Amino acid sequence: MTRRFAWVVAVVVVVLVAVAPSASAHATVVSTSPSDGQVVAAAPSVVSVRFDEPVQMQFGALRVFSPSGARVDEGTPSHPPGHSDTVQVAVGSNLGRGTYTVAWHVISADSHPVSGAFTFSVGASSSTSVPQDTLNAAGSKAVGVLYGFARGTAYGGFALMVGATAFLLCCWPTGAASRRVRVVIGGGWAALVVATFAVLGLQGPYDGGFGLSRVFDSAVLHTTLGTRLGTALAVRLLLLGAAGIGLVLLLPRIAGASDRLRITAVAVGAALAVAIAATWATADHAGTGSQVALALPLDVVHVMAMAVWLGGLTVVVAVLLRPAGAEVPVLAAAIRRFSTIALCCIGTLVASGTYQAWRQVGTLGALTGTVYGRLLLFKLLGVGLLIGLGYLARVWIAHYLAGPAMKADAVAIRQLRRSTGIEVVFATGVLAITAMLVNAPPARTAYAAPVSTTVAFDAGGPKGKGSVQIFVSPAKAGTDLVHIETVSASGEAEVVAQLTATMSLPDRQLGPLPLNLDGAGTEHHYGNVAIPLPGKWIMAVTVRTDDIDETTVQVPITIR
């Protein structure tokens, strides 16, 4: 049974990590100098990009290419004094006329690579010949999969180490004599140590877009240690060293320890576990954005509740409920105590998870319209199933372990073990999704709300007044759905003789681009439109109400 559970858990983790999306922009560009698409009279001496949060330059670059594709930047990219949210680089003094391309690659505050490009022109715009692969080379898929797997394994190792130890101290002290329990705790500690080293080695190639050959590169590792996440990983390894020593000293003494010693061990162990959990919170989404002072401790609490619950469940199914696990009275006392602890953990997870979801998602559209939001929905589904299984376990406990006349026989115990084992499998899947969420851009950042606006028109003539209702989704560069509905002055849908529309991007001198819309002869005009670049576009809608009366309205549309 245990081996089958292990295989199912492994398959769940591998599948989820294999299909995990690559992390994309977590920091957003606020402005560039020169501005994107700007035509300047004289060549600038410095090119810069400003973001909405501090960024790191380790594994970063800010490169400038001439119209022919040659590098024209000079020196090393840097932060202006006092502005960690801005990167700049000097350019040569003899730039000729034409369009120059600027490519940037930095590390956002939540430890993920962010890249992009923009153009500016000196004197006049021109054609360019900079290959896309030169601007931003795609990272290694193998590195991304291994990186995600290592982060998921780290969560699992932390849960086994902390949760199993907490179960012994609070629910089953005599279980410390069991070799299986010591294997669970030691295996969790070892898995977390190995996974932390793996993340430390893979972080540099992940951030820099390198291949697996750079995992053991000492220069890359040295640079990684200078990043926010690298520092957190180094601190975690030091804490794990202390935790390992503590476990070696503690485990042989738990069974015969006094209440005072166990209370002291719980306090010291909890402090150490909280410190280890904080190495995740400080380097990921909780450490950036709004309300950091509240988000950080709640994220630590969330991780701790997950660890105590999942690690305790593992001990229950892998050791306590086995045929030779424990006598029924001991089993009953341990399970009743853990049932109360698990209920508190579930309440904590729901409360802290609800806050995290609101902070990272914000709107219903972002919940269904982003990778982060959809992963969160899967996680919520998994948590709901876990709550249902936990409720069934509490019903079992109330039926078989209530009162002095306990009715738990071998068959009943197998039922609980099977139910709890399924709970462990689902919990591990939720853990894998959590690792993917950490690696995905927050929905608030990634989501672009659809554009919906109404503009009045007056084409003259007896029935020339009305309005057009315009809907553009998702209002992001790429393929968008455009839907235009014509409405009469009285507010009712109305068919017009003809409706055409174009889009222009004045800042880049692009357009007008005609929109191919279906629905001629109806009040609804719609179509899928390829919008090549983000920016402040202008949609020009021309409405002809009869053979001679027509008008054009200009509608600003922001494409992200």
Side-chain angles (χ1 to χ4, degrees), residues 501-503 512-517 529:
T502 62
M503 291 193 71
L513 305 177
L515 304 185
N516 296 320
L517 302 175
V529 179

Side-chain angles (χ1 to χ4, degrees), residues 153-198:
T153 302
Y155 279 121
F158 180 75
L160 292 179
M161 180 185 71
V162 172
T165 304
F167 188 89
L168 288 184
L169 290 170
C170 301
C171 304
W172 190 30
T174 57
S178 169
R179 180 178 175 274
R180 288 182 178 274
V181 175
R182 294 197 297 272
V183 168
V184 169
I185 295 175
W189 179 87
L192 180 52
V193 170
V194 172
T196 300
F197 273 114

Side-chain angles (χ1 to χ4, degrees), residues 474-560:
K476 296 178 68 173
T479 301
D480 287 76
L481 171 66
V482 175
H483 177 201
I484 303 175
E485 182 180 3
T486 51
V487 180
S488 66
S490 62
E492 298 178 354
E494 184 176 50
V495 178
V496 296
Q498 186 181 41
L499 183 144
T500 58
T502 62
M503 291 193 71
S504 304
L505 185 59
D507 291 345
R508 299 292 297 272
Q509 300 179 350
L510 182 62
L513 305 177
L515 304 185
N516 296 320
L517 302 175
D518 298 323
T522 71
E523 63 271 22
H524 296 280
H525 299 75
Y526 53 90
N528 291 315
V529 179
I531 302 179
L533 296 171
K536 296 181 179 179
W537 289 76
I538 300 296
M539 180 183 292
V541 181
T542 300
V543 181
R544 183 164 61 84
T545 56
D546 54 37
D547 291 340
I548 59 175
D549 297 316
E550 74 174 30
T551 188
T552 300
V553 294
Q554 306 283 337
V555 184
I557 304 289
T558 299
I559 301 296
R560 295 176 63 183

